[in-house]
Amino acid sequence: MTVMIDTGNYIAAKAAVMAKPDVVAAYPITPQTTLVEGIANYVASGEYKGEYICVESEHSAMSACIGSSATGVRTFTATSSHGLLLMHEMLHWAALARLPIVMCNINRVIGPGWNIWADENDSISQRDTGWIQFYCSSNQEIFDTIIQSFKIAEHEKISLPIMVNYNAFILSHTSMPADIPRQKEIDDYLKRYRPQWNLDCDNPITFGNIIGTEHYEKIRRAMQDAQENALRIIPEVAKEWKKLFGRFHGDLIEKYHCDDAEYILFSMGAIGAESKVAIDNLRSRGIKIGLARVRTFRPFPAQEIQNLAKNADLVVIDRNISIGYEGALFTEIKAALYGKSDAKVSGFIAGLGGKDVTFTNIENICKRAIDGKTKGSTWYGFEGAN
Amino acid sequence: MAIKDLPIDECLLTGNAACPGCPATLGLRLVFKALGKNTIMVVPACCTAVIESLYPHTSFDIPVMNIAFEAAAAGASGVEAALRKLGKKDTTVLAWAGDGGTYDIGIQALSGAIERGTNFIYICYNNQIYSNTGIQRSGATPYGAWTTTTVGGKTEFRKDMGEIIIAHHLPYAAQTCISYPEDLYGKVKKAKDIKGPKYIEILAPCPPGWRFSMDRTIDMGILAVETGAWALYEYENGNMTFNGKSKLILENKIDRKPVEEWIRQQGRFSHLFKPEKDTTKITAIQKNIDQTWERYRKQYL
C-alpha cells in the first residue's frame, strides 16, 4: 500500500486505471477534465494498457461505452453536469441493456448561467435512468467506491451501470491523502469481467430489437429486481472491503453517532463530510444528534431510513431542488417513512450553485430544526440570511 | 464478379418483416454475402430495426446491437475498441444506418468516428426519407419531392453526403445502388479488406416512400443512375473513380437521360405533373443535376 496525496479527480483516475478497464471512452468537461487527463497520462506512461477513445461528445462517449460493454469488456467513463445531461438518452440505454459500465460524475451546476461549482441537480435529474448512484464524501471514498463499483455492477445478480458522484472542486480539485492498495491486491479483488452475454459471432444474437409489451414489462421488472439485489449486495461488498483493506465508508448509509440520537441529520456528498464536524460540535453542547450520510441514492435505502426514524426526528439537507416541489432527498425520505413513522422531518435546500455550506451553517440548520422553527422545505442562507 | 458467383451463404433469413419490394433487404443480403459471418452489426433507429423482426426472434444470422438514432458510429467505435482488446482483429464492425441516421441526426458521431480512424465500415442505405417513421423529409430528400413534412414538395436541394465524407480524407468511400449488385458487392468486399474507416452509401429506392409499384425498385435505381440523379463512384487513397454508367456519363461517352424520366414515375413528384406540368421546378431539378456533373467533371475527370 502507498499513500497518494492528490485531488479527487487524479485519485479517481488512479482507481479507474487500477481496475483495468479494457475501454475508456470520454469527452472533457470542467470539472471532470483532470480525471480524463489523468487517464491520458497513464496511457502515455504505459500504466494504462486499455483502449482510450477520445470521442466528440458525451452522447458518443456513452454510446461507445455501450458498444464496448456489449462486446463484453470492462468499460469506464467520466463526465459532469451538461455532459451528463447530453448522455441522458444513452444512460437509459445502458441500464436497459444491463451493461455494467462504471462512470464518475462530478456534480456541477447546470446552466444557464454558466457556473462550474458544486450542485447535485445534474445527477439527481438522472435518478430514473436505472443507474445505481453513489455519492462520495472524500477522495479515499472515491477511490474505494470506484473499485467496489466494478464488483457491484458486474455482479451477476445486478448487471447494471453505476454512477460514482462527487462534488465539483470540493472533492474533484482538492488534494487529500488516500491509501492506494497494491495492483496485485486490486487484481485479486476484481477478477476479470465475465459477461453473461455479449456480441459474439459464434453465438449471433440480436440485442435491443423491437419488443412487445409483455416482454418489455419483464425487462423493467428485472431491472427493479437487480436494484433490490443491490440493496443487499452493496453492504456485503462494503463489509468485504473493510475486511480486506480496513476501510469502511458506510454501506448504503454512513451512520455517525446515530445509536442514541434524538435527531438525525441526512445529507449526501461533501456536505455529508462537513456534517460530521457539525455533529461533533452540537454533541459537545449536549444535543443528541447523529448523521446519516446517504451513499446510495439508487437503490434508495428506505428500510434503513425507517429504522433510523424509529427514535429520532430527521433533518435533511439537499444540494439540489426538484423545481416545483422540494429537495429530492427530502421527498424520498418522507415517502420512505409514509405510514411507518411519526418522525418529524425538516428539509433544507443549501449550497446550490456551489455556495459554501460550512459546519457552522449545518449547525444552524440543525438548531433551527430542533427549535421547531421550520415549515416544510426551507431555503437556507438565501440572499445572505442566516 | 458475376451474380452466379456470389457466395451461397445467407445471413439475411427468410420471414423478415420488410415491406415487399424493399431495397434495404436487397442491400443487406449482398452486404452479408460480402462480409460473411465474422461480422458484428450496429443498427440505429431505421427500417432495419423493424426488418430484424420482433423479439425474441431475429432475421439476421450475425450478432446485432441496436442503438439510439444518432449513435451508430459511436456505438461501433466502442465495439471496435473492445474487439481490438479481445484480440479479435478479423471481425468486421458494420454500422448500418439510414439517411436520416446518417445525413441528419447521426452526422456528428459519424464524422467523429471517421476522424478518429475507427476501423469499421459505415453503410448508409439511402432511401431519401425517414421511411420508418412514415415518410418525412431528411437532408437526403431531393428538391421537389413530396413527403409528409414537405406536403407541397421539398423546397431545398439535398446535401452531398458523399463529398462531406470524402472531406475527411478517409481510406475508402463509395456510392453504389441496389440496382447494381456486382458494383455493390464489389465495393463492400473491397472495403472489408481495407483498414480504417470506410463509408459506403447505397441508393435504396423505397416503393411506399417514393410512391411507385413494389416490382419497380430495381428500375428506379437504374433510372436514378442513368439520369445522373445518383452517381456510382469510389474514392480510394485520395483518388476518385466513377464506375459503370456513371463513368460513361462523366467521360461524356453516354448522355444522361432527362431527370423527368425518373421523377415522373414516382408518385412523390406527381404534383409536378398534375394537374399541370410545373416546368419551373422540373427545370430546377434538371439544372441542379447538370451543375453537379459539371462540378464532378472539373474536380474528378
Side-chain angles (χ1 to χ4, degrees):
Chain A
M1 190 192 77
T2 56
V3 175
M4 180 177 177
I5 302 173
D6 220 323
T7 62
N9 278 349
Y10 284 125
I11 282 169
K14 182 76 180 170
V17 166
M18 289 185 83
K20 295 185 175 171
D22 293 293
V23 175
V24 174
Y27 186 79
I29 179 169
T30 306
Q32 157 263 36
T33 37
T34 50
L35 199 173
V36 293
E37 288 166 7
I39 293 174
N41 289 337
Y42 289 123
V43 172
S45 70
E47 194 173 330
Y48 176 57
K49 294 181 174 61
E51 298 290 331
Y52 185 41
I53 317 176
C54 296
V55 287
E56 82 300 326
S57 74
E58 286 91 354
H59 194 282
S60 286
M62 188 45 61
S63 301
C65 285
I66 286 166
S68 145
S69 188
T71 309
V73 303
R74 185 170 290 161
T75 304
F76 176 83
T77 187
T79 191
S80 178
S81 182
H82 287 262
L84 185 71
L85 304 189
L86 185 58
M87 283 181 182
H88 176 73
E89 179 189 26
M90 305 319 289
L91 296 182
H92 277 285
W93 201 286
L96 276 155
R98 305 294 298 273
L99 299 171
I101 298 159
V102 174
M103 170 168 71
C104 285
N105 176 62
I106 294 83
N107 291 118
R108 177 198 133 178
V109 175
I110 299 164
W114 290 121
N115 174 321
I116 55 174
W117 309 109
D119 189 304
E120 287 161 359
N121 251 99
D122 57 356
S123 56
I124 291 294
S125 69
Q126 307 307 312
R127 182 191 65 180
D128 298 336
T129 55
W131 284 58
I132 289 171
Q133 285 196 354
F134 283 108
Y135 288 80
C136 298
S137 68
S138 72
N139 292 0
Q140 182 73 63
E141 189 181 2
I142 293 169
F143 182 93
D144 295 349
T145 306
I146 289 170
I147 303 290
Q148 290 174 12
S149 288
F150 283 105
K151 186 112 170 175
I152 297 160
E154 294 167 5
H155 193 291
E156 60 173 8
K157 293 200 178 306
I158 297 179
S159 197
L160 281 172
I162 296 185
M163 194 185 297
V164 178
N165 294 284
Y166 53 93
N167 283 186
F169 295 96
I170 301 167
L171 292 178
S172 70
H173 286 63
T174 303
S175 285
M176 299 178 197
D179 291 343
I180 309 294
R182 285 177 294 122
Q183 183 65 55
K184 168 128 192 355
E185 293 176 287
I186 301 288
D187 292 346
D188 290 344
Y189 175 75
L190 214 51
K191 301 282 185 275
R192 189 173 170 75
Y193 170 46
R194 299 211 180 280
Q196 296 172 70
W197 59 269
N198 61 307
L199 295 163
D200 179 4
C201 294
D202 295 327
N203 181 26
I205 293 172
T206 295
F207 294 102
N209 53 337
I210 292 176
I211 188 165
T213 49
E214 73 283 17
H215 291 297
Y216 187 82
E217 200 174 34
K218 282 180 200 159
I219 287 176
R220 281 291 187 192
R221 178 57 192 262
M223 289 171 78
Q224 175 64 19
D225 290 345
Q227 284 263 356
E228 286 173 12
N229 292 340
L231 283 172
R232 176 173 52 77
I233 291 160
I234 290 167
E236 286 172 12
V237 166
K239 205 168 155 191
E240 185 194 15
W241 187 265
K242 188 180 179 185
K243 202 172 139 198
L244 290 170
F245 299 101
R247 292 189 297 275
F248 183 71
H249 309 281
D251 33 47
L252 305 166
I253 291 176
E254 181 189 21
K255 301 180 198 90
Y256 186 69
H257 293 310
C258 286
D259 289 345
D260 64 340
E262 292 167 5
Y263 303 94
I264 295 176
L265 169 65
F266 279 78
S267 56
M268 300 200 299
I271 293 178
E274 191 78 5
S275 295
K276 285 186 185 170
V277 183
I279 297 300
D280 288 344
N281 290 345
L282 291 165
R283 283 215 163 234
S284 72
R285 277 175 252 147
I287 298 166
K288 285 192 172 176
I289 187 163
L291 167 70
R293 182 176 65 82
V294 175
R295 288 188 75 223
T296 62
F297 187 65
R298 278 294 177 275
F300 194 68
Q303 180 66 52
E304 298 229 339
I305 290 166
Q306 287 158 14
N307 293 341
L308 288 167
K310 275 179 186 156
N311 301 306
D313 285 338
L314 312 185
V315 186
V316 185
I317 302 179
D318 274 288
R319 191 172 227 147
N320 69 78
I321 176 157
S322 173
I323 298 292
Y325 199 25
E326 57 196 14
L329 184 61
F330 182 43
T331 303
E332 305 235 350
I333 286 174
K334 287 188 294 177
L337 299 182
Y338 177 76
K340 305 212 161 140
S341 168
D342 296 327
K344 186 168 178 277
V345 190
S346 311
F348 292 84
I349 311 281
L352 299 189
K355 198 176 212 175
D356 261 353
V357 181
T358 64
F359 60 82
T360 312
N361 299 145
I362 298 167
E363 287 169 42
N364 287 337
I365 284 171
C366 292
K367 279 189 275 185
R368 279 177 62 175
I370 291 163
D371 294 346
K373 289 180 186 164
T374 59
K375 218 175 189 182
S377 177
T378 307
W379 287 62
Y380 177 78
F382 191 68
E383 289 217 344
N386 308 297
Chain B
M1 174 179 283
I3 297 264
K4 70 177 175 56
D5 298 322
L6 292 178
I8 203 160
D9 300 331
E10 300 285 0
C11 289
L12 178 74
L13 307 176
T14 54
N16 65 67
C19 304
C22 174
T25 46
L26 296 172
L28 282 166
R29 192 176 173 206
L30 291 164
V31 167
F32 290 158
K33 281 181 183 292
L35 297 180
K37 284 199 169 190
N38 194 6
T39 302
I40 293 177
M41 187 183 192
V42 179
V43 180
C46 62
C47 282
T48 301
V50 177
I51 296 168
E52 286 166 9
S53 303
L54 195 66
Y55 174 90
H57 303 286
T58 183
S59 42
F60 297 168
D61 200 15
I62 57 169
V64 179
M65 179 178 80
N66 285 277
I67 199 148
F69 209 170
E70 65 279 51
S77 293
V79 173
E80 186 254 4
L83 288 173
R84 218 174 323 133
K85 270 304 281 181
L86 292 170
K88 294 182 178 175
K89 288 175 182 162
D90 298 336
T91 303
T92 302
V93 179
L94 166 68
W96 168 272
D99 50 293
T102 303
Y103 282 57
D104 297 343
I105 197 168
I107 192 170
Q108 174 183 318
L110 172 57
S111 176
I114 295 174
E115 182 269 333
R116 291 191 298 273
T118 308
N119 183 28
F120 77 141
I121 304 175
Y122 187 105
I123 298 183
C124 168
Y125 66 109
N126 173 8
N127 54 25
Q128 302 190 324
I129 34 164
Y130 291 86
S131 48
N132 191 31
T133 42
I135 316 167
Q136 292 83 28
R137 106 194 258 289
S138 80
T141 304
Y143 175 86
W146 163 89
T147 69
T148 56
T149 52
T150 55
V151 176
K154 194 183 174 195
T155 50
E156 303 82 24
F157 290 95
R158 68 176 177 89
K159 59 172 111 165
D160 195 323
M161 193 65 193
E163 289 185 304
I164 292 170
I165 294 293
I166 288 166
H168 292 75
H169 308 299
L170 72 176
Y172 186 78
Q175 284 195 174
T176 181
C177 172
I178 50 91
S179 307
Y180 299 90
E182 298 95 331
D183 185 78
L184 194 162
Y185 178 86
K187 283 170 177 171
V188 177
K189 190 87 183 156
K190 186 186 271 188
K192 182 178 189 287
D193 295 327
I194 295 171
K195 206 170 155 44
K198 286 83 60 178
Y199 176 88
I200 297 173
E201 187 163 334
I202 304 174
L203 185 71
C206 168
W210 295 13
R211 296 286 194 252
F212 61 81
S213 164
M214 66 182 98
D215 58 348
R216 302 217 56 209
T217 305
I218 304 295
D219 296 342
M220 286 307 122
I222 290 172
L223 274 171
V225 170
E226 290 180 345
T227 57
W230 189 248
L232 309 175
Y233 63 65
E234 56 188 342
Y235 169 91
E236 200 177 354
N237 301 321
N239 297 314
M240 186 76 143
T241 314
F242 281 64
N243 315 112
K245 283 177 188 159
S246 299
K247 181 174 159 59
L248 299 175
I249 290 170
L250 187 81
E251 293 170 352
N252 263 330
K253 288 181 179 159
I254 58 170
D255 289 332
R256 271 182 284 124
K257 289 182 176 171
V259 74
E260 199 177 321
E261 286 190 27
W262 182 55
I263 62 176
R264 73 176 313 133
Q265 303 194 41
Q266 303 169 40
R268 62 175 173 162
F269 292 106
S270 62
H271 57 283
L272 301 182
F273 298 94
K274 287 183 290 193
E276 56 205 41
K277 199 166 167 180
D278 188 339
T279 315
T280 313
K281 281 193 178 148
I282 295 169
T283 307
I285 295 169
Q286 184 61 61
K287 200 176 157 200
N288 179 257
I289 293 172
D290 295 346
Q291 285 170 344
T292 301
W293 283 93
E294 270 173 44
R295 193 164 45 76
Y296 282 162
R297 286 203 180 91
K298 269 189 207 153
Q299 284 178 258
Y300 304 123
L301 194 62

